[in-house]
Amino acid sequence: MERTLVILKPDAVQRGLIGQITTRLEQRGLKLAGMKFIQIDHDLAAQHYAVHKGKPFYEGLIKYITSSPVVVQVWEGKRVIETVRRTCGATNPIDADLGTIRADFAVEIGRNLIHASDGAETAAYEIPLYFKEEDLVTWSRVTDQWIME
Ligand code: UDP
Ligand code: MG
């Protein structure tokens, strides 16, 4: 079982897209393990995006992610990291395939609505920035057998 971190970024919250974006993940059959509504401060943003420090878009990215509240979620399942990334679409919404969240709701890379961990190591780094292990819920769902063999 894998876990991945998702952030519905400030633009998703401000535009009233929390429900519609979360629905995209739910309707694929992915299972939620944790969720909270928070405002990311500068320190947390710097930890989260440490890998991008020094890049031309870094300062703008930190300003963006700390500018307004976000919804942070953990989703759990087999190959969930890749599944969520593909549901989000390419980083630049212009390049994202139609039917993905970024293509269907966004137009610019700097306002691309959603973050998702890009690999197992990244997920293992990112999830504890937001959730303690005991905050995450492992639960069985009556529909599981109709979603996974
Ligand atoms: N970003 C940006 N301009 C760029 C590249 C990235 O504003 O040229 C922002 C964008 O919000 C992106 C985030 O920085 O989602 C992190 O970039 P990354 O390459 O990790 O993309 P992601 O993993 O979010 O698809
Ligand atoms: Mg990334």
Side-chain angles (χ1 to χ4, degrees):
M1 256 334 150
E2 286 180 356
R3 282 174 173 169
T4 193
L5 184 87
V6 164
I7 302 176
L8 310 184
K9 293 176 173 178
D11 43 345
V13 173
Q14 289 283 349
R15 291 175 57 197
L17 294 172
I18 297 170
Q20 288 190 67
I21 294 174
T22 304
T23 294
R24 295 289 182 107
L25 302 172
E26 274 187 304
Q27 73 190 6
R28 276 209 84 158
L30 304 180
K31 193 194 279 189
L32 196 61
M35 176 159 72
K36 60 184 181 181
F37 185 58
I38 61 166
Q39 176 121 15
I40 297 178
D41 65 21
H42 188 280
D43 279 2
L44 181 54
Q47 278 185 281
H48 181 102
Y49 282 124
V51 66
H52 293 309
K53 196 169 165 65
K55 294 183 186 171
F57 60 87
Y58 177 77
E59 296 300 335
L61 175 58
I62 297 297
K63 203 168 167 203
Y64 165 45
I65 205 72
T66 58
S67 62
S68 190
V70 299
V71 175
V72 194
Q73 300 170 333
V74 173
W75 294 85
E76 189 173 84
K78 205 164 56 181
R79 296 183 68 183
V80 73
I81 296 169
E82 187 186 358
T83 305
V84 172
R85 287 286 292 190
R86 291 174 64 92
T87 306
C88 292
T91 304
N92 191 335
I94 294 288
D95 301 324
D97 291 332
L98 298 181
T100 63
I101 291 163
R102 285 165 169 170
D104 290 356
F105 296 107
V107 289
E108 279 196 9
I109 193 165
R111 295 290 182 270
N112 63 359
L113 295 173
I114 185 164
H115 166 84
S117 307
D118 66 5
E121 272 184 32
T122 315
Y125 173 76
E126 290 175 350
I127 292 169
L129 296 178
Y130 300 90
F131 295 94
K132 297 190 199 108
E133 182 58 38
E134 61 264 31
D135 294 336
L136 298 173
V137 183
T138 299
W139 53 295
S140 68
R141 203 170 41 172
V142 288
T143 49
D144 279 347
Q145 62 178 311
W146 304 108
I147 295 168
M148 291 162 289
E149 278 196 283

